[in-house]
Amino acid sequence: MYYPYFRGKQYDLLAIKSLLEENRLSQKVCPIIEPIKDSRTFQSFLKINEKRKHPIYVIDNPQTGQFLTESGLLPYKNRLSHTAHIVDQSLDVIEEKSDLWIVQQASPVLVSDWKEVTQKVVVPFEFRLLEKIPGDKILSEDPFTRLPKTSFYQENSDEFFSDSQNTFRKRGFSGFSDFSIDSRTYYEKGYPSPILSLHLVYFKENTLRIHHFLSPEEASSQSEKFFFLMEEISKWTDTLCGKEVTVGLSLLLKAFDNQHFPGMGIMRKASVMHHLELMSRFLDQQTE
């Protein structure tokens, strides 16, 4: 139903791994992972998924990173229970038999014959592509607003994020996909900013919104900036989570209580965990 797309960065994988260990990830949330590094984190992620048997799709032809080689993911082939494949050439020359097709560019779609395709297809909302693909489609969107400078979020710190969880079926799709609190554009590392930020989603009347929490630029240290953020976030806890605090937000609140700056990686991990747990709660409450 919901297919969040991740580029396999360390703290994104750790976020999903932690949710699996805590039994906080709904079966209706099916992450798509494009692996970029053959790291211990990736290996431990595969291990926990083998144990939990959650519907997670690993892309077998990643477009960047250490697996962009002739052998690719071959060493892990037997450990991938669900695979996805980025359609980067005509279907009649693709030998892999994956469980999910992912469309990122129009050309290979338009030259392919889709009549016999039985897999689900993740595809952006583009009329010529939707008309070409007759089968089971998953809507791919990019709702996160990525701005060139963190300070620009001050102009609109609270905004609409997505309503696809309510509308995807009415629009003719069997599921929906996004990039969580990230954008479609891939980047290996972020740029340093004098402002610390946390982008946290929340539900308001079944609509998903996002609040951009920003620290003051003049704070003397990263720790001081984090404590400023958390002072504000602690006042938003009920709005962000409702009656039950998410595991991700709990990580941040615990660090704040201990007057400990956990680092940017943990902040990213906690934000992703918070988003996926909220989506899990929402989808599990919905009737089919």
Side-chain angles (χ1 to χ4, degrees), residues 2-13 32 34 36 140-147 153 159 161-162 177-191 198-201 208 210 212 267-269 271-273 275-276:
Y2 175 44
Y3 298 78
Y5 190 112
F6 296 95
R7 262 44 176 264
K9 293 181 179 179
Q10 177 182 4
Y11 286 97
D12 292 348
L13 294 179
I32 300 171
E34 182 176 1
I36 58 176
S140 175
E141 295 183 305
D142 188 7
F144 183 77
T145 303
R146 179 160 297 286
L147 299 178
Y153 288 107
E159 59 182 328
F161 188 75
S162 178
S177 175
D178 59 30
F179 298 84
S180 186
I181 51 170
D182 211 335
S183 66
R184 188 184 303 276
T185 303
Y186 172 74
Y187 62 96
E188 180 65 26
K189 294 182 180 179
Y191 294 100
L198 272 167
H199 309 281
L200 298 175
V201 299
L208 198 61
I210 188 166
H212 309 287
M267 291 172 63
R268 167 69 184 183
K269 172 186 173 181
S271 301
V272 171
M273 289 178 66
H275 178 205
L276 297 186

Side-chain angles (χ1 to χ4, degrees), residues 9 16 27 33 37 47 53 74 81 98 114 124-126 128 151 180 203 230 233 237 248 253-254 259 265 278:
K9 293 181 179 179
I16 300 171
Q27 291 290 313
I33 308 297
K37 290 184 179 180
K47 185 175 181 179
K53 300 186 184 305
L74 189 59
S81 56
S98 298
W114 291 83
F125 195 82
E126 185 176 334
R128 59 178 177 162
S151 59
S180 186
F203 276 100
M230 292 309 303
I233 289 172
T237 302
L253 292 171
K254 183 178 180 180
Q259 288 295 285
L278 283 187

Side-chain angles (χ1 to χ4, degrees), residues 64-235:
T64 188
Q66 294 181 356
F67 292 107
L68 190 58
T69 62
E70 185 175 347
S71 60
L73 283 165
L74 189 59
Y76 296 104
K77 185 175 181 180
N78 294 332
R79 301 180 62 183
L80 306 179
S81 56
H82 298 83
T83 60
H85 191 88
I86 296 172
V87 181
D88 55 357
Q89 52 189 325
S90 176
L91 292 182
D92 59 1
V93 298
I94 297 177
E95 297 180 356
E96 291 82 358
K97 302 299 180 183
S98 298
D99 305 299
L100 187 71
W101 294 118
I102 298 175
V103 172
Q104 294 183 343
Q105 51 184 311
S107 298
V109 173
L110 299 178
V111 300
S112 298
D113 182 0
W114 291 83
K115 293 179 181 178
E116 302 300 322
V117 171
T118 58
Q119 298 97 325
K120 293 181 179 180
V121 184
V122 180
V123 58
F125 195 82
E126 185 176 334
F127 179 74
R128 59 178 177 162
L129 300 181
L130 299 177
E131 189 177 49
K132 181 72 174 181
I133 303 169
D136 206 351
K137 294 180 285 290
I138 296 165
L139 174 63
S140 175
E141 295 183 305
D142 188 7
F144 183 77
T145 303
R146 179 160 297 286
L147 299 178
K149 290 186 177 181
T150 304
S151 59
F152 291 173
Y153 288 107
Q154 294 171 341
E155 298 179 10
N156 189 15
S157 61
D158 192 271
E159 59 182 328
F160 171 84
F161 188 75
S162 178
D163 194 36
S164 292
Q165 66 278 356
N166 300 316
T167 63
F168 70 94
R169 285 198 180 92
K170 296 178 182 178
R171 299 168 70 182
F173 296 90
S174 64
F176 61 102
S177 175
D178 59 30
F179 298 84
S180 186
I181 51 170
D182 211 335
S183 66
R184 188 184 303 276
T185 303
Y186 172 74
Y187 62 96
E188 180 65 26
K189 294 182 180 179
Y191 294 100
S193 171
I195 296 176
L196 208 59
S197 63
L198 272 167
H199 309 281
L200 298 175
V201 299
Y202 67 97
F203 276 100
K204 183 176 181 180
E205 298 177 354
N206 288 342
T207 294
L208 198 61
R209 297 185 62 81
I210 188 166
H211 194 88
H212 309 287
F213 295 92
L214 306 176
S215 73
E217 185 173 347
E218 62 273 13
S220 61
S221 67
Q222 293 289 78
S223 295
E224 186 178 338
K225 294 174 184 179
F226 174 72
F227 299 149
F228 179 91
L229 283 178
M230 292 309 303
E231 186 73 42
E232 184 70 13
I233 289 172
S234 64
K235 301 173 185 177

Side-chain angles (χ1 to χ4, degrees), residues 8-76:
K9 293 181 179 179
Q10 177 182 4
Y11 286 97
D12 292 348
L13 294 179
L14 289 174
I16 300 171
K17 179 175 179 287
S18 294
L19 289 175
L20 289 173
E21 292 171 337
E22 296 281 346
N23 292 316
R24 298 296 182 103
L25 193 63
S26 169
Q27 291 290 313
K28 296 179 180 178
V29 177
C30 311
I32 300 171
I33 308 297
E34 182 176 1
I36 58 176
K37 290 184 179 180
D38 190 5
S39 62
R40 290 183 179 179
T41 301
F42 178 63
Q43 294 172 24
S44 65
F45 169 79
L46 291 179
K47 185 175 181 179
I48 185 64
N49 190 44
E50 286 175 313
K51 180 179 179 181
R52 301 286 176 162
K53 300 186 184 305
H54 195 89
I56 293 178
Y57 295 82
V58 178
I59 293 175
D60 57 20
N61 64 328
Q63 303 296 292
T64 188
Q66 294 181 356
F67 292 107
L68 190 58
T69 62
E70 185 175 347
S71 60
L73 283 165
L74 189 59
Y76 296 104

